[in-house]
Amino acid sequence: MPTATREIHLAARPEGWPTPDDFRLVETELPDPGPGEVLVRNTVMSVDPYMRGRMNDVKSYVPPYRLGEVLDGGAVGTVIASNDDSLAVGDTVLHQLGWREHALAPAAAFRHVDATGVDESAYLGVLGMPGLTAYVGLVAIAGLREGDRVLISGAAGAVGSLAGQIARLLGASAVVGSAGSPEKVAWLTDDLGFDAAVNYHDGAPLRLLEPHGPFDVYFDNVGGEHLEAAIALLSDHGRIAACGSIASYNEELPTPGPRNMFQVVTKRLRMQGFIVTDHADLAREYQRLARQWVADGELVHRETVVEGLDHAVDAFLGLHRGDNIGKMLVRL
Ligand code: NDP
């Protein structure tokens, strides 16, 4: 049984863009599991934009990370010791104690997942939180209807790439995406069935997206100029699922809002934010659909995998630069 492990601590609260100096890789002792506890060797962990917000010392929907302490996040691992009847050595589990090589906690912190026939990493992507986020945003928030024309920003990321495909599977008549490189744009149109995609580095989002509008639904992962463009390009009674605002996560000062908010009134638009964890009631329904879509080859998912905890900080910084296509993961 290992007696030591490694984990990533928050060394400083980033101001603006995070740097490697804001993190520290720390070796610590690994005690034996106590009564009711389970020891898991993490095999793959999730790299997520929301972690950036938790590095700020502000009140939000999740508590901030504590300075000088280990980060956490979604992870999958294998049970290597168990003092609880609900989990056995060899079980694959999903949990929130990532950013460390081993997770030691009461059994209730871990959820046993079925790793037969699917890659275990799927539980951090298409069968996990990003997939459910895409589904919730489209179905519960935007109220997607057959025939809707859908615009998605951050379209080649974990949530966006799934949202575009799910929109089409649920009856959207057109799906258009915005992403940050020619390779991403080609992936969206050639492999994922997006009707059109633009590289937002080629110009202002409004100018690039206008030829593909109007839209009934906007799935917003980015905020900023993309949101302003979407407001301009939505039809009357259009709906916005406000999922994320990554364009502003590393800004030191609050960024200006869309300048065309009055169009929300004149077009009777509806914009609603959401947090996926409020919608656990849809998880079972989504899992059933997603498993079938994946099995039928109708829902394609891609991963960008960085190897080893030593490179986890690079993966996190890279996520914000757009290094990932599909879900950003670290394999341990
Ligand atoms: P992604 O896999 O989409 O990774 C982030 C991507 O954001 C990058 O690959 C990059 O791609 C893009 N990006 C970075 N900076 C900018 C910018 N300035 N303008 C436009 N695009 C940018 O991450 P996720 O799929 O995990 O998350 C997507 C969004 O969904 C995030 O905003 C996240 O916070 C949010 N989210 C919200 C949830 C909720 O419950 N509401 C749950 C999960 C995620 P590119 O090359 O295209 O720039």
Side-chain angles (χ1 to χ4, degrees):
M1 210 45 61
T3 55
T5 189
R6 299 187 310 160
E7 54 192 34
I8 296 191
H9 289 201
L10 183 66
R13 297 204 182 279
E15 286 175 20
W17 280 83
T19 71
D21 292 340
D22 297 326
F23 306 90
R24 190 167 300 127
L25 183 58
V26 174
E27 186 160 329
T28 69
E29 273 182 30
L30 189 58
D32 290 333
E37 285 189 332
V38 172
L39 178 61
V40 169
R41 184 174 56 77
N42 287 338
T43 47
V44 59
M45 66 184 207
S46 182
V47 183
D48 289 287
Y50 78 85
M51 297 179 65
R52 175 64 188 86
R54 292 188 66 190
M55 292 169 191
N56 300 331
D57 191 13
V58 295
K59 190 170 180 298
S60 185
Y61 65 98
V62 268
Y65 291 126
R66 289 213 284 250
L67 210 50
E69 293 192 15
V70 61
L71 302 178
D72 59 60
V76 169
T78 308
V79 173
I80 57 170
S82 175
N83 287 336
D84 192 273
D85 291 345
S86 64
L87 289 171
V89 170
D91 283 349
T92 302
V93 290
L94 173 68
H95 60 91
Q96 280 299 316
L97 297 170
W99 295 78
R100 61 198 86 182
E101 288 174 330
H102 295 87
L104 175 65
F110 304 101
R111 179 159 76 85
H112 189 191
V113 292
D114 182 3
T116 48
V118 290
D119 288 337
E120 58 186 17
S121 57
Y123 287 101
L124 300 174
V126 65
L127 299 181
M129 185 274 278
L132 183 60
T133 302
Y135 187 73
V136 165
L138 291 168
V139 173
I141 307 302
L144 185 78
R145 294 193 282 264
E146 204 143 312
D148 277 344
R149 295 178 55 83
V150 179
L151 172 64
I152 298 179
S153 58
V159 173
S161 61
L162 296 170
Q165 297 176 82
I166 293 170
R168 174 48 66 77
L169 286 162
L170 295 178
S173 64
V175 178
V176 175
S178 170
S181 75
E183 188 189 357
K184 292 182 181 188
V185 164
W187 182 56
L188 295 175
T189 53
D190 299 351
D191 297 345
L192 302 193
F194 280 57
D195 297 274
V198 303
N199 174 1
Y200 68 86
H201 294 301
D202 286 344
L206 178 58
R207 182 176 65 74
L208 297 170
L209 291 166
E210 196 162 23
H212 306 291
F215 303 101
D216 305 295
V217 166
Y218 172 49
F219 193 108
D220 189 19
N221 287 314
V222 166
E225 271 191 278
H226 278 87
L227 176 57
E228 186 171 294
I231 289 172
L233 296 174
L234 279 166
S235 307
D236 286 356
H237 303 286
R239 292 95 71 202
I240 300 172
C243 175
S245 203
I246 197 165
S248 63
Y249 293 172
N250 294 309
E251 296 296 331
E252 286 184 54
L253 295 171
T255 47
R259 292 165 295 183
N260 53 356
M261 285 302 280
F262 186 51
Q263 290 191 41
V264 173
V265 178
T266 56
K267 294 186 189 176
R268 289 81 103 200
L269 305 181
R270 181 165 61 75
M271 177 171 177
Q272 187 183 338
F274 70 100
I275 297 296
V276 63
T277 46
D278 294 343
H279 298 270
D281 55 311
L282 287 177
R284 195 181 291 266
E285 170 182 315
Y286 171 68
Q287 283 275 335
R288 186 177 48 76
L289 288 167
R291 278 175 190 279
Q292 194 60 52
W293 287 331
V294 171
D296 295 345
E298 291 182 307
L299 186 55
V300 175
H301 57 108
R302 182 162 163 177
E303 297 169 346
T304 299
V305 182
V306 170
E307 295 293 334
L309 196 66
D310 306 72
H311 296 114
V313 170
D314 300 336
F316 180 71
L317 301 178
L319 178 82
H320 290 265
R321 285 191 305 260
D323 290 354
N324 59 308
I325 298 188
K327 177 67 197 156
M328 182 67 107
L329 296 170
V330 176
R331 192 169 296 284
L332 300 173

